[in-house]
Amino acid sequence: LNNIRGERNYRYRVTYQPSSSSTTYNYYGFIPRQVEYPRVAAISCFGPDDTKDKTDLIEGVLKTEPDLIVLSGDHTYFSQGLGFGILETLYTLNRLTRNLPTVVQLDDHDYGTGNIWGAGNGDEESGEGFNRKPVCLVNALEQMTMGHHPDSATDETLDNGIGIYYTNYEYGNVDFAILESRKFKNRDVGDSMLGSAQEDWLRDWCGAKKGKLKVVLTQSPFAQLGVIITRWRKRVGGLVEVGKDKDTNGWPLEGRARFFDIIDGCSNLIIAGDQHLGIAVSYDDYGVMECSSPAAVNDMFWRMNFNELGETHLDRFGHPYRLLNVWNVAEPLYTSYQFPYETRPLGDLVKDSRADGFLVADLSTEFPTCEMHGYRQGQRMIWSTTGETEAPTKAPTKIPTTRAPVTNECSTNTDCGGNSHCALEIEEPWAPLVCCPGLSKISTLVPNTRVCRGQQDVNGVCSHNNFCRSDRCGHHRQHDKTPSYCCEGKIVRVGGVKVCRNSVPRGSFCTDGIVCESGTCISQKCH
């Protein structure tokens, strides 16, 4: 379709009539008018659990009111039934893709293998790494999933006939570069990542339409951000430190360096996936923030990063990154289960603790904002951060090891000697059951579960004042649909919303400066 104007709404119908039947099938949808700076929901890594029913995920995404969907890759892990697996994911997400523009990228598992280096041990355009599936199947799947995109910037193919797909997509005042970061990498030679032709194209993209906000979409992050991983081989579970992981875009070194030289001063935001880890970092050498989506269904591999927030760290390749925030699997899970797949038959309370979720990148704020969202216990924002944050707020979902050791754990009220209730220490499903030092109360965040009163720290998630040490529970946004946290200072009521005083970050909506971190609200934005 040509000449679709972004300032208009459209309704559409797709009609299909098989040649062998008189039955006509119709598929109806809606193309919404574009906004200037969209909210982008990025989703990736659909593990084998819950493949046929993604209702909770879809409802959670829709509640964040995205304008654009990005499916960053690893849409299936059914390597022996690749076509079925990808079709199943697309079908079960059709409530999203029917009425929202959707960008799709393919990652290693979508080609039937884990950790793919497209060039193998050959030249950058050899395609030697694509040796698991027939070329015709690979091309068919790419056409099926990405055929709705703008045309590829090149008509060339790899030497083995597999197509090459990189392009840009303009939405409102944002220009997205859709990269092809898997096909040109050599496993052993640290040179090509994007290939020379794509590098030239990316350089041209940076130089064109400089009035637009430039955002890079890629499959894997540009550093090795997972520090700990669950072991898998030889049926040996547990956790181990990650060595040099050449699967990420931290490798190859020369290709990565050229990428950043190209986008330096051009783009300040990269959106990635692949690593089963919801994380936001800043590459301060280049002024770029990268946000990577968590696994939508995190039952394959658990990667974690327990480094200090706000500090600069080096990955295994020596790349510096400042850790803005991270969403790790809760400690009781990775200490109780040897393999992530053991959690598949368990309930949503456990699956919420394994950090199943999605990323929302809000491009409408003064600085791009990245939010991590869970959906297993109802949609909730885990944390939010921007690349401009000097000292980022600690993640509301704290890693349990950051709290003081619990010495009064219990299983039932009987264990507490009849003197207190046995309840969750704080309003988190991973929290330990303890004998409360005072009273307890039924939680709305962890349904039908009692939680000790007065135990949640400042910036910890809460549903009522009674759960906070500060006895104050309010929003960090001037919107009553956002999560509530225990306030450090006073609560103010503005526009009918209880907000922690001086908690709303720069670029977010406000009607009174009293809610802003800076104390200043201009044109309904905190400055």
Side-chain angles (χ1 to χ4, degrees), residues 127-155:
E128 288 184 10
F130 290 90
N131 53 18
R132 295 287 184 91
K133 300 298 178 183
V135 170
C136 60
L137 175 62
V138 171
N139 286 338
L141 292 176
E142 290 191 339
Q143 177 60 32
M144 178 179 71
T145 55
M146 300 187 291
H148 65 292
H149 289 177
D151 291 340
S152 175
T154 179
D155 294 326

Side-chain angles (χ1 to χ4, degrees), residues 457-492:
D457 295 330
V458 168
N459 292 326
V461 67
C462 59
S463 65
H464 195 278
N465 292 344
N466 291 161
F467 294 120
C468 300
R469 294 180 186 273
S470 65
D471 198 35
R472 299 182 183 92
C473 179
H475 298 277
H476 284 182
R477 296 288 192 280
Q478 194 180 324
H479 195 301
D480 60 3
K481 299 300 183 183
T482 59
S484 296
Y485 306 105
C486 292
C487 303
E488 183 173 11
K490 294 182 178 180
I491 290 177
V492 294

Side-chain angles (χ1 to χ4, degrees), residues 12 115 139 176 249 309 351 376 394 415 436 455 524:
Y12 69 86
N115 301 354
N139 286 338
F176 294 93
N249 284 341
L309 297 185
K351 293 176 182 179
R376 290 291 188 180
K394 296 287 185 181
D415 297 332
C436 299
Q455 297 302 300
Q524 296 191 331

Side-chain angles (χ1 to χ4, degrees), residues 120-325:
N121 292 316
D123 295 334
E124 64 180 36
E125 295 185 359
S126 68
E128 288 184 10
F130 290 90
N131 53 18
R132 295 287 184 91
K133 300 298 178 183
V135 170
C136 60
L137 175 62
V138 171
N139 286 338
L141 292 176
E142 290 191 339
Q143 177 60 32
M144 178 179 71
T145 55
M146 300 187 291
H148 65 292
H149 289 177
D151 291 340
S152 175
T154 179
D155 294 326
E156 299 296 322
T157 67
L158 299 179
D159 293 346
N160 61 357
I162 289 178
I164 298 172
Y165 194 89
Y166 53 84
T167 190
N168 69 303
Y169 169 57
E170 296 181 37
Y171 181 105
N173 202 36
V174 183
D175 192 2
F176 294 93
I178 306 172
L179 296 188
E180 184 82 276
S181 62
R182 288 289 190 185
K183 288 184 175 171
F184 308 100
K185 293 173 70 168
N186 184 299
R187 180 169 186 163
D188 298 317
V189 180
D191 184 23
S192 177
M193 175 188 290
L194 301 180
S196 55
Q198 186 173 191
E199 288 178 1
D200 291 340
W201 168 82
L202 187 63
R203 198 172 286 108
D204 291 341
W205 173 78
C206 279
K209 300 182 179 178
K210 292 189 175 182
K212 288 183 177 287
L213 176 65
K214 303 276 188 174
V215 177
V216 173
L217 304 180
T218 186
Q219 288 89 342
S220 194
F222 282 87
Q224 183 182 313
L225 302 178
V227 177
I228 302 292
I229 190 172
T230 49
R231 289 180 290 196
W232 184 271
R233 295 177 180 173
K234 297 181 180 179
R235 308 294 295 175
V236 178
L239 301 177
V240 65
E241 289 191 17
V242 186
K244 288 186 176 181
D245 185 0
K246 294 181 179 180
D247 180 52
T248 70
N249 284 341
W251 172 269
L253 306 185
E254 291 87 346
R256 177 188 184 273
R258 288 198 299 273
F259 164 78
F260 275 111
D261 285 344
I262 292 171
I263 71 161
D264 190 6
C266 160
S267 172
N268 66 351
L269 178 63
I270 302 169
I271 296 175
D274 179 55
Q275 292 293 289
H276 302 232
L277 178 64
I279 191 167
V281 302
S282 176
Y283 302 117
D284 290 337
D285 289 350
Y286 304 99
V288 175
M289 176 170 69
E290 181 169 58
C291 301
S292 186
S293 58
V297 183
N298 197 14
D299 62 357
M300 289 294 293
F301 307 98
W302 290 341
R303 289 184 177 90
M304 288 164 277
N305 188 320
F306 296 123
N307 288 330
E308 184 71 19
L309 297 185
E311 298 297 323
T312 298
H313 309 278
L314 297 179
D315 78 351
R316 286 287 190 172
F317 297 103
H319 306 312
Y321 66 89
R322 179 161 52 94
L323 182 57
L324 300 176
N325 226 322

Side-chain angles (χ1 to χ4, degrees), residues 488-505:
E488 183 173 11
K490 294 182 178 180
I491 290 177
V492 294
R493 186 177 290 275
V494 180
V497 182
K498 289 171 58 179
V499 184
C500 297
R501 186 169 182 169
N502 300 125
S503 66
V504 178

